[in-house]
Amino acid sequence: MFALVLHSHLPWLANHGRWPVGEEWLYQSWADSYLPLTDMLTSLAEEGRTNLLSLGITPVLAAQLDDPHCLSGMHHWLANWQLRAHEAADRELSIREHRSAAAALELFEKRWRHGGSPVLRPLVDSGAVELLGGPLAHPFQPLLDPRLREFSLSQGLSDAHLRWGTRPRGIWAPECAYDPGMEIGYADAGITHFMVDGPALRGDTSLGRTVRDSDVVAFGRDLDVSYRVWSPKSGYPGHAAYRDFHTYDHATGLKDKRVTGRTVDSADKAPYDPAAASAAIDKHVADFVATVRSRLRSESARIGRPALVVAAFDTELFGHWWFEGPVWLERVLRALPEAGIDVGTLENARSRGYVGSPVELEKSSWGSGKDWRVWNGDAVSDLVALNAEVVTTAIDTVHASRNGNPEPELRNRVNDQILRETLNSIASDWAFMVSKDSAAGYARQRAHVHAHALREIADAATGGRAELATELADRWNRADGLFPSLDARRLRTDRPFGGER
């Protein structure tokens, strides 16, 4: 059996800058990836196709796809795309981009104006996709106080239920990060399966594995197959015929060149040719199907029973980073069954018994070195310290507000906002961006802005200035009002840092 898993995630970008990093990142990914992907899946679902793939959508991305500010901004962005197409000097580029922008604008106005939830829910209800959830705001869970880890995960799953009417039983853990004992928290939250990277299972990803003494199953990414599409050094998107991500028409910001060659300067790249790109897509679809078939046969022969192959990618690869990705994906989803390959979801794999013997899973992630260095290495020691400070401040402040009262408390909007700012401050994205030197200044600034908001609100709250704390929480909420159902009363503050139970 073959299972495709997509992980859709962006940090909270609304009201935090526009260009070069900020809301523009969201709108580009929305237009290039989320619009065509959901449109393609909807078309396949209308044909009666089910169990196409496992689709992870993080709560923080889902919040932006439903947010009125983001929806309005996206509508304006699509209209601006159409205007930029009119301004292109090259006639072929202008026509091609105008058609794409007009189609995207029509699709957005037809299906997306009330948010992403009404678009995604039919795909889940029809069984076209398995929905994978995750914790609020995408924290690096192994480094997180278990009390906030538990809160973030349970609230993230509840957020999914609120938006889509289903509570996910599978998750894509942020950064595929794992620490022994986390499987207990997963089981307590109702999670039956989660993703890890292939090396976490010592490269043997032919079956899911129950973790330690639990019934929770870890599925590993098959790197031989996944890296065929995309790896740190190679993959289909680098083919000469595909549209080049890095080269722009400077007057309009439109991308008008093809890759041409890895060592070719931008000024020397050839014009984009859609026909040549389409032919390359067909070639790479055939190669991928052959790779999957070969891998299934060799792994089944090796283990002496039908094997599982899991290919897993960031959703944003398909469209945003690799322009032709959505078309390739649709052709693959059609070609695999035509080649006699059984396609399903992670839940299908678990329920149908593609599960082997228990594994003593160790610390891991899908970052550099497959360990935690990206998120706790020397390059981000300042952010590690900041994260520890803000988490302690948040938990202590919420705990103090309860004043030892065992009776149920009323909803506390100040505490709610304290936790919103805390979760935004400790998002795994900031350490990743710093370690990879990708907009590191923006990442550090974001972590510190949310930490400042937390400190400001907490200082007023613990200093007995309740009216000021409420005013500050309301002000910060105007920028960071994600997760309106977040309820700080569900955070346990009376358990010491350490074990899961």
Side-chain angles (χ1 to χ4, degrees):
M1 177 182 157
F2 171 77
L4 176 66
V5 185
L6 298 181
H7 173 58
S8 317
H9 170 66
L10 289 176
W12 180 252
L13 300 167
N15 300 307
H16 288 281
R18 187 66 181 256
W19 177 268
V21 185
E23 290 184 25
E24 180 77 12
W25 185 10
L26 170 65
Y27 301 142
Q28 285 184 6
S29 299
W30 203 335
D32 295 342
S33 297
Y34 310 142
L35 283 178
L37 175 69
T38 55
D39 188 43
M40 177 268 288
L41 291 173
T42 298
S43 296
L44 292 176
E46 289 173 348
E47 296 174 10
R49 299 280 300 278
T50 59
N51 299 319
L52 295 165
L53 50 84
S54 296
L55 180 61
I57 304 173
T58 62
V60 67
L61 174 60
Q64 292 174 98
L65 299 182
D66 280 341
D67 183 76
H69 170 82
C70 296
L71 288 164
S72 176
M74 179 61 180
H75 195 226
H76 282 87
W77 191 93
L78 290 171
N80 181 258
W81 178 15
Q82 199 168 40
L83 289 175
R84 288 186 289 125
H86 294 169
E87 296 169 358
D90 183 272
R91 187 171 182 274
E92 288 189 16
L93 175 65
S94 179
I95 292 173
R96 186 168 67 243
E97 290 291 324
H98 170 80
R99 287 174 177 168
S100 297
L105 191 57
E106 181 181 9
L107 179 61
F108 182 81
E109 291 179 340
K110 179 181 178 181
R111 292 182 177 168
W112 285 82
R113 291 303 298 275
H114 297 290
S117 292
V119 177
L120 292 159
R121 184 162 183 169
L123 296 173
V124 178
D125 290 346
S126 68
V129 303
E130 175 202 7
L131 180 68
L132 302 180
L136 294 176
H138 212 255
F140 192 83
Q141 294 182 109
L143 300 177
L144 189 57
D145 184 308
R147 294 167 291 183
L148 193 58
R149 184 197 302 169
E150 175 189 66
F151 173 84
S152 179
L153 178 58
S154 65
Q155 291 282 275
L157 298 174
S158 296
D159 184 81
H161 186 268
L162 182 69
R163 296 181 194 278
W164 300 306
T166 183
R167 186 180 176 90
R169 291 165 57 82
I171 67 167
W172 181 298
E175 318 298 357
C176 289
Y178 171 80
D179 192 26
M182 282 175 53
E183 72 281 355
I184 300 173
Y186 287 162
D188 289 346
I191 294 298
T192 59
H193 53 284
F194 67 105
M195 281 292 302
V196 296
D197 208 2
L201 295 178
R202 301 172 185 86
D204 187 357
T205 57
S206 57
L207 295 169
R209 298 298 184 95
T210 53
V211 179
R212 296 179 176 267
D213 296 326
S214 75
D215 293 325
V216 181
V217 178
F219 288 104
R221 185 172 64 137
D222 186 310
L223 297 189
D224 285 359
V225 174
S226 298
Y227 278 2
R228 194 74 180 172
V229 180
W230 184 248
S231 77
K233 297 181 179 179
S234 63
Y236 301 149
H239 188 273
Y242 291 144
R243 198 176 78 174
D244 189 74
F245 175 82
H246 300 284
T247 305
Y248 290 82
D249 168 51
H250 291 287
T252 61
L254 303 174
K255 299 174 184 178
D256 59 342
K257 303 295 184 181
R258 51 181 152 166
V259 173
T260 311
R262 293 181 181 273
T263 60
V264 178
D265 290 337
S266 293
D268 299 323
K269 289 186 180 289
Y272 183 66
D273 180 353
S278 183
I281 293 172
D282 286 336
K283 174 184 175 182
H284 290 143
V285 167
D287 178 77
F288 187 76
V289 171
T291 299
V292 170
R293 181 192 290 113
S294 175
R295 183 68 168 167
L296 284 169
R297 287 175 174 171
S298 63
E299 287 295 276
S300 296
R302 182 179 65 83
I303 65 175
R305 58 177 287 191
L308 172 71
V309 165
V310 178
F313 310 97
D314 283 334
T315 301
E316 294 76 24
L317 169 64
F318 300 95
H320 179 56
W321 299 106
W322 178 21
F323 175 67
E324 296 79 8
V327 177
W328 178 89
L329 195 58
E330 179 175 7
R331 293 182 189 178
V332 159
L333 289 174
R334 294 186 182 281
L336 286 166
E338 291 171 359
I341 295 171
D342 185 17
V343 176
T345 65
L346 296 182
E347 173 57 29
N348 294 150
R350 189 191 66 82
S351 63
R352 289 167 53 185
Y354 284 92
V355 180
S357 57
V359 62
E360 294 291 310
L361 205 60
E362 301 295 339
K363 295 180 179 182
S364 61
S365 80
W366 76 337
S368 300
K370 309 305 180 184
D371 52 24
W372 300 350
R373 70 185 68 175
V374 171
W375 297 275
N376 72 346
D378 292 342
V380 292
S381 59
D382 59 322
L383 292 183
V384 173
L386 180 68
N387 289 354
E389 176 209 330
V390 299
V391 169
T392 298
T393 300
I395 292 178
D396 288 351
T397 302
V398 173
H399 183 71
S401 73
R402 295 170 179 170
N403 199 27
N405 187 357
E407 297 299 319
E409 57 184 324
L410 297 175
R411 184 79 177 267
N412 188 321
R413 304 292 182 181
V414 170
N415 285 346
D416 293 349
Q417 194 60 31
I418 282 174
L419 293 184
R420 284 191 188 92
E421 300 298 348
T422 299
L423 290 166
N424 271 315
S425 182
I426 65 173
S428 72
D429 307 86
W430 313 138
F432 178 87
M433 293 165 71
V434 170
S435 290
K436 297 298 182 180
D437 195 23
S438 172
Y442 177 87
R444 279 201 165 93
Q445 183 262 343
R446 284 295 306 278
H448 281 279
V449 162
H450 296 295
H452 169 72
L454 158 70
R455 294 188 193 106
E456 192 173 49
I457 301 168
D459 183 62
T462 56
R465 293 167 290 167
E467 186 174 334
L468 176 59
T470 299
E471 180 183 346
L472 290 169
D474 288 343
R475 286 182 187 175
W476 284 107
N477 184 261
R478 292 181 195 127
D480 304 314
L482 70 169
F483 311 136
S485 64
L486 179 152
D487 189 341
R489 291 176 296 181
R490 296 191 175 101
L491 173 68
R492 299 185 186 184
T493 62
D494 56 351
R495 204 167 57 196
F497 184 91
E500 289 287 327
R501 302 183 108 153

PDB file of all heavy atoms in Angstrom, residues 357-381:
ATOM      1  N   SER A 357       6.057  -4.809  14.734  1.00  0.00           N
ATOM      2  CA  SER A 357       6.337  -4.978  16.156  1.00  0.00           C
ATOM      3  C   SER A 357       6.647  -3.626  16.798  1.00  0.00           C
ATOM      4  O   SER A 357       7.026  -2.666  16.124  1.00  0.00           O
ATOM      5  CB  SER A 357       7.521  -5.921  16.340  1.00  0.00           C
ATOM      6  OG  SER A 357       8.657  -5.427  15.648  1.00  0.00           O
ATOM      7  N   PRO A 358       6.502  -3.528  18.132  1.00  0.00           N
ATOM      8  CA  PRO A 358       6.774  -2.263  18.825  1.00  0.00           C
ATOM      9  C   PRO A 358       8.214  -1.798  18.624  1.00  0.00           C
ATOM     10  O   PRO A 358       9.126  -2.596  18.406  1.00  0.00           O
ATOM     11  CB  PRO A 358       6.498  -2.602  20.294  1.00  0.00           C
ATOM     12  CG  PRO A 358       5.571  -3.770  20.251  1.00  0.00           C
ATOM     13  CD  PRO A 358       5.998  -4.563  19.039  1.00  0.00           C
ATOM     14  N   VAL A 359       8.403  -0.499  18.716  1.00  0.00           N
ATOM     15  CA  VAL A 359       9.726   0.084  18.560  1.00  0.00           C
ATOM     16  C   VAL A 359      10.027   0.976  19.752  1.00  0.00           C
ATOM     17  O   VAL A 359       9.149   1.691  20.253  1.00  0.00           O
ATOM     18  CB  VAL A 359       9.830   0.884  17.243  1.00  0.00           C
ATOM     19  CG1 VAL A 359       8.850   2.059  17.228  1.00  0.00           C
ATOM     20  CG2 VAL A 359      11.241   1.396  17.009  1.00  0.00           C
ATOM     21  N   GLU A 360      11.269   0.907  20.228  1.00  0.00           N
ATOM     22  CA  GLU A 360      11.716   1.782  21.319  1.00  0.00           C
ATOM     23  C   GLU A 360      12.199   3.096  20.687  1.00  0.00           C
ATOM     24  O   GLU A 360      13.405   3.347  20.558  1.00  0.00           O
ATOM     25  CB  GLU A 360      12.841   1.108  22.103  1.00  0.00           C
ATOM     26  CG  GLU A 360      12.413  -0.140  22.848  1.00  0.00           C
ATOM     27  CD  GLU A 360      11.482   0.174  24.011  1.00  0.00           C
ATOM     28  OE1 GLU A 360      11.810   1.054  24.822  1.00  0.00           O
ATOM     29  OE2 GLU A 360      10.417  -0.467  24.088  1.00  0.00           O
ATOM     30  N   LEU A 361      11.237   3.897  20.282  1.00  0.00           N
ATOM     31  CA  LEU A 361      11.546   5.134  19.566  1.00  0.00           C
ATOM     32  C   LEU A 361      12.382   6.061  20.449  1.00  0.00           C
ATOM     33  O   LEU A 361      12.112   6.224  21.635  1.00  0.00           O
ATOM     34  CB  LEU A 361      10.228   5.815  19.169  1.00  0.00           C
ATOM     35  CG  LEU A 361      10.239   6.766  17.972  1.00  0.00           C
ATOM     36  CD1 LEU A 361      10.679   6.042  16.714  1.00  0.00           C
ATOM     37  CD2 LEU A 361       8.835   7.345  17.776  1.00  0.00           C
ATOM     38  N   GLU A 362      13.406   6.669  19.843  1.00  0.00           N
ATOM     39  CA  GLU A 362      14.283   7.581  20.573  1.00  0.00           C
ATOM     40  C   GLU A 362      14.065   9.015  20.098  1.00  0.00           C
ATOM     41  O   GLU A 362      13.282   9.280  19.193  1.00  0.00           O
ATOM     42  CB  GLU A 362      15.748   7.171  20.365  1.00  0.00           C
ATOM     43  CG  GLU A 362      16.068   5.752  20.837  1.00  0.00           C
ATOM     44  CD  GLU A 362      15.908   5.570  22.339  1.00  0.00           C
ATOM     45  OE1 GLU A 362      15.949   6.600  23.058  1.00  0.00           O
ATOM     46  OE2 GLU A 362      15.759   4.426  22.787  1.00  0.00           O
ATOM     47  N   LYS A 363      14.774   9.941  20.715  1.00  0.00           N
ATOM     48  CA  LYS A 363      14.677  11.352  20.342  1.00  0.00           C
ATOM     49  C   LYS A 363      14.945  11.517  18.851  1.00  0.00           C
ATOM     50  O   LYS A 363      15.892  10.942  18.307  1.00  0.00           O
ATOM     51  CB  LYS A 363      15.700  12.180  21.116  1.00  0.00           C
ATOM     52  CG  LYS A 363      15.486  12.239  22.613  1.00  0.00           C
ATOM     53  CD  LYS A 363      16.573  13.088  23.261  1.00  0.00           C
ATOM     54  CE  LYS A 363      16.367  13.195  24.763  1.00  0.00           C
ATOM     55  NZ  LYS A 363      17.403  14.055  25.397  1.00  0.00           N
ATOM     56  N   SER A 364      14.131  12.333  18.187  1.00  0.00           N
ATOM     57  CA  SER A 364      14.315  12.505  16.740  1.00  0.00           C
ATOM     58  C   SER A 364      13.544  13.723  16.253  1.00  0.00           C
ATOM     59  O   SER A 364      12.738  14.315  16.978  1.00  0.00           O
ATOM     60  CB  SER A 364      13.838  11.250  15.988  1.00  0.00           C
ATOM     61  OG  SER A 364      12.455  11.029  16.216  1.00  0.00           O
ATOM     62  N   SER A 365      13.802  14.089  15.006  1.00  0.00           N
ATOM     63  CA  SER A 365      13.051  15.118  14.283  1.00  0.00           C
ATOM     64  C   SER A 365      13.348  14.905  12.803  1.00  0.00           C
ATOM     65  O   SER A 365      14.087  14.002  12.434  1.00  0.00           O
ATOM     66  CB  SER A 365      13.487  16.531  14.708  1.00  0.00           C
ATOM     67  OG  SER A 365      14.693  16.910  14.040  1.00  0.00           O
ATOM     68  N   TRP A 366      12.779  15.758  11.946  1.00  0.00           N
ATOM     69  CA  TRP A 366      13.156  15.651  10.540  1.00  0.00           C
ATOM     70  C   TRP A 366      14.084  16.803  10.141  1.00  0.00           C
ATOM     71  O   TRP A 366      14.286  17.052   8.965  1.00  0.00           O
ATOM     72  CB  TRP A 366      11.928  15.557   9.642  1.00  0.00           C
ATOM     73  CG  TRP A 366      11.141  16.814   9.368  1.00  0.00           C
ATOM     74  CD1 TRP A 366      11.079  17.955  10.102  1.00  0.00           C
ATOM     75  CD2 TRP A 366      10.284  17.026   8.238  1.00  0.00           C
ATOM     76  NE1 TRP A 366      10.235  18.867   9.520  1.00  0.00           N
ATOM     77  CE2 TRP A 366       9.730  18.317   8.357  1.00  0.00           C
ATOM     78  CE3 TRP A 366       9.915  16.252   7.143  1.00  0.00           C
ATOM     79  CZ2 TRP A 366       8.830  18.847   7.431  1.00  0.00           C
ATOM     80  CZ3 TRP A 366       9.030  16.778   6.222  1.00  0.00           C
ATOM     81  CH2 TRP A 366       8.499  18.059   6.365  1.00  0.00           C
ATOM     82  N   GLY A 367      14.681  17.456  11.134  1.00  0.00           N
ATOM     83  CA  GLY A 367      15.616  18.538  10.850  1.00  0.00           C
ATOM     84  C   GLY A 367      17.013  18.025  10.562  1.00  0.00           C
ATOM     85  O   GLY A 367      17.271  16.814  10.501  1.00  0.00           O
ATOM     86  N   SER A 368      17.928  18.939  10.402  1.00  0.00           N
ATOM     87  CA  SER A 368      19.331  18.591  10.133  1.00  0.00           C
ATOM     88  C   SER A 368      19.840  17.643  11.201  1.00  0.00           C
ATOM     89  O   SER A 368      19.659  17.876  12.400  1.00  0.00           O
ATOM     90  CB  SER A 368      20.188  19.851  10.120  1.00  0.00           C
ATOM     91  OG  SER A 368      19.751  20.736   9.112  1.00  0.00           O
ATOM     92  N   GLY A 369      20.499  16.561  10.742  1.00  0.00           N
ATOM     93  CA  GLY A 369      21.011  15.570  11.671  1.00  0.00           C
ATOM     94  C   GLY A 369      19.950  14.670  12.256  1.00  0.00           C
ATOM     95  O   GLY A 369      20.257  13.755  13.021  1.00  0.00           O
ATOM     96  N   LYS A 370      18.678  14.949  11.914  1.00  0.00           N
ATOM     97  CA  LYS A 370      17.535  14.170  12.420  1.00  0.00           C
ATOM     98  C   LYS A 370      17.452  14.198  13.945  1.00  0.00           C
ATOM     99  O   LYS A 370      16.823  13.339  14.559  1.00  0.00           O
ATOM    100  CB  LYS A 370      17.570  12.724  11.906  1.00  0.00           C
ATOM    101  CG  LYS A 370      17.730  12.617  10.392  1.00  0.00           C
ATOM    102  CD  LYS A 370      16.657  13.385   9.637  1.00  0.00           C
ATOM    103  CE  LYS A 370      16.831  13.264   8.140  1.00  0.00           C
ATOM    104  NZ  LYS A 370      15.860  14.079   7.367  1.00  0.00           N
ATOM    105  N   ASP A 371      18.111  15.204  14.560  1.00  0.00           N
ATOM    106  CA  ASP A 371      18.032  15.368  16.011  1.00  0.00           C
ATOM    107  C   ASP A 371      17.371  16.716  16.290  1.00  0.00           C
ATOM    108  O   ASP A 371      16.568  17.193  15.495  1.00  0.00           O
ATOM    109  CB  ASP A 371      19.415  15.243  16.656  1.00  0.00           C
ATOM    110  CG  ASP A 371      20.449  16.160  16.011  1.00  0.00           C
ATOM    111  OD1 ASP A 371      20.052  17.191  15.413  1.00  0.00           O
ATOM    112  OD2 ASP A 371      21.656  15.862  16.097  1.00  0.00           O
ATOM    113  N   TRP A 372      17.698  17.342  17.404  1.00  0.00           N
ATOM    114  CA  TRP A 372      17.020  18.589  17.789  1.00  0.00           C
ATOM    115  C   TRP A 372      17.886  19.832  17.568  1.00  0.00           C
ATOM    116  O   TRP A 372      17.518  20.924  17.996  1.00  0.00           O
ATOM    117  CB  TRP A 372      16.616  18.528  19.262  1.00  0.00           C
ATOM    118  CG  TRP A 372      15.683  17.413  19.626  1.00  0.00           C
ATOM    119  CD1 TRP A 372      15.023  16.570  18.785  1.00  0.00           C
ATOM    120  CD2 TRP A 372      15.312  17.031  20.958  1.00  0.00           C
ATOM    121  NE1 TRP A 372      14.261  15.680  19.496  1.00  0.00           N
ATOM    122  CE2 TRP A 372      14.415  15.933  20.836  1.00  0.00           C
ATOM    123  CE3 TRP A 372      15.645  17.493  22.226  1.00  0.00           C
ATOM    124  CZ2 TRP A 372      13.860  15.310  21.954  1.00  0.00           C
ATOM    125  CZ3 TRP A 372      15.083  16.879  23.337  1.00  0.00           C
ATOM    126  CH2 TRP A 372      14.201  15.805  23.198  1.00  0.00           C
ATOM    127  N   ARG A 373      19.033  19.696  16.925  1.00  0.00           N
ATOM    128  CA  ARG A 373      20.002  20.800  16.889  1.00  0.00           C
ATOM    129  C   ARG A 373      19.437  22.081  16.270  1.00  0.00           C
ATOM    130  O   ARG A 373      19.845  23.191  16.649  1.00  0.00           O
ATOM    131  CB  ARG A 373      21.256  20.357  16.140  1.00  0.00           C
ATOM    132  CG  ARG A 373      21.071  20.176  14.640  1.00  0.00           C
ATOM    133  CD  ARG A 373      22.301  19.613  13.963  1.00  0.00           C
ATOM    134  NE  ARG A 373      22.538  18.229  14.387  1.00  0.00           N
ATOM    135  CZ  ARG A 373      23.506  17.474  13.867  1.00  0.00           C
ATOM    136  NH1 ARG A 373      24.333  17.975  12.956  1.00  0.00           N
ATOM    137  NH2 ARG A 373      23.655  16.226  14.261  1.00  0.00           N
ATOM    138  N   VAL A 374      18.520  21.942  15.314  1.00  0.00           N
ATOM    139  CA  VAL A 374      17.942  23.133  14.677  1.00  0.00           C
ATOM    140  C   VAL A 374      17.174  23.974  15.692  1.00  0.00           C
ATOM    141  O   VAL A 374      17.136  25.207  15.597  1.00  0.00           O
ATOM    142  CB  VAL A 374      17.023  22.713  13.513  1.00  0.00           C
ATOM    143  CG1 VAL A 374      16.240  23.905  12.975  1.00  0.00           C
ATOM    144  CG2 VAL A 374      17.837  22.074  12.395  1.00  0.00           C
ATOM    145  N   TRP A 375      16.593  23.327  16.704  1.00  0.00           N
ATOM    146  CA  TRP A 375      15.717  24.002  17.650  1.00  0.00           C
ATOM    147  C   TRP A 375      16.327  24.203  19.027  1.00  0.00           C
ATOM    148  O   TRP A 375      15.760  24.936  19.836  1.00  0.00           O
ATOM    149  CB  TRP A 375      14.391  23.235  17.758  1.00  0.00           C
ATOM    150  CG  TRP A 375      13.696  23.248  16.429  1.00  0.00           C
ATOM    151  CD1 TRP A 375      12.878  24.233  15.930  1.00  0.00           C
ATOM    152  CD2 TRP A 375      13.802  22.264  15.389  1.00  0.00           C
ATOM    153  NE1 TRP A 375      12.469  23.927  14.661  1.00  0.00           N
ATOM    154  CE2 TRP A 375      13.019  22.713  14.298  1.00  0.00           C
ATOM    155  CE3 TRP A 375      14.471  21.042  15.280  1.00  0.00           C
ATOM    156  CZ2 TRP A 375      12.891  21.984  13.110  1.00  0.00           C
ATOM    157  CZ3 TRP A 375      14.349  20.317  14.102  1.00  0.00           C
ATOM    158  CH2 TRP A 375      13.563  20.793  13.030  1.00  0.00           C
ATOM    159  N   ASN A 376      17.461  23.566  19.324  1.00  0.00           N
ATOM    160  CA  ASN A 376      18.115  23.799  20.619  1.00  0.00           C
ATOM    161  C   ASN A 376      19.626  23.905  20.502  1.00  0.00           C
ATOM    162  O   ASN A 376      20.334  23.773  21.497  1.00  0.00           O
ATOM    163  CB  ASN A 376      17.726  22.722  21.632  1.00  0.00           C
ATOM    164  CG  ASN A 376      18.369  21.360  21.349  1.00  0.00           C
ATOM    165  OD1 ASN A 376      18.909  21.134  20.259  1.00  0.00           O
ATOM    166  ND2 ASN A 376      18.312  20.455  22.303  1.00  0.00           N
ATOM    167  N   GLY A 377      20.137  24.160  19.294  1.00  0.00           N
ATOM    168  CA  GLY A 377      21.576  24.286  19.094  1.00  0.00           C
ATOM    169  C   GLY A 377      22.111  25.636  19.523  1.00  0.00           C
ATOM    170  O   GLY A 377      21.372  26.536  19.934  1.00  0.00           O
ATOM    171  N   ASP A 378      23.424  25.792  19.392  1.00  0.00           N
ATOM    172  CA  ASP A 378      24.082  27.032  19.821  1.00  0.00           C
ATOM    173  C   ASP A 378      23.546  28.256  19.099  1.00  0.00           C
ATOM    174  O   ASP A 378      23.458  29.343  19.689  1.00  0.00           O
ATOM    175  CB  ASP A 378      25.595  26.922  19.588  1.00  0.00           C
ATOM    176  CG  ASP A 378      26.259  25.905  20.508  1.00  0.00           C
ATOM    177  OD1 ASP A 378      25.632  25.551  21.521  1.00  0.00           O
ATOM    178  OD2 ASP A 378      27.379  25.471  20.195  1.00  0.00           O
ATOM    179  N   ALA A 379      23.169  28.103  17.828  1.00  0.00           N
ATOM    180  CA  ALA A 379      22.709  29.253  17.036  1.00  0.00           C
ATOM    181  C   ALA A 379      21.428  29.862  17.587  1.00  0.00           C
ATOM    182  O   ALA A 379      21.134  31.037  17.330  1.00  0.00           O
ATOM    183  CB  ALA A 379      22.504  28.838  15.583  1.00  0.00           C
ATOM    184  N   VAL A 380      20.664  29.064  18.335  1.00  0.00           N
ATOM    185  CA  VAL A 380      19.370  29.554  18.836  1.00  0.00           C
ATOM    186  C   VAL A 380      19.300  29.476  20.360  1.00  0.00           C
ATOM    187  O   VAL A 380      18.205  29.412  20.932  1.00  0.00           O
ATOM    188  CB  VAL A 380      18.201  28.762  18.203  1.00  0.00           C
ATOM    189  CG1 VAL A 380      18.084  29.070  16.719  1.00  0.00           C
ATOM    190  CG2 VAL A 380      18.354  27.261  18.423  1.00  0.00           C
ATOM    191  N   SER A 381      20.449  29.492  21.021  1.00  0.00           N
ATOM    192  CA  SER A 381      20.457  29.396  22.493  1.00  0.00           C
ATOM    193  C   SER A 381      19.674  30.540  23.124  1.00  0.00           C
ATOM    194  O   SER A 381      19.042  30.373  24.175  1.00  0.00           O
ATOM    195  CB  SER A 381      21.892  29.376  23.014  1.00  0.00           C
ATOM    196  OG  SER A 381      22.594  30.548  22.621  1.00  0.00           O
TER     197      SER A 381
END
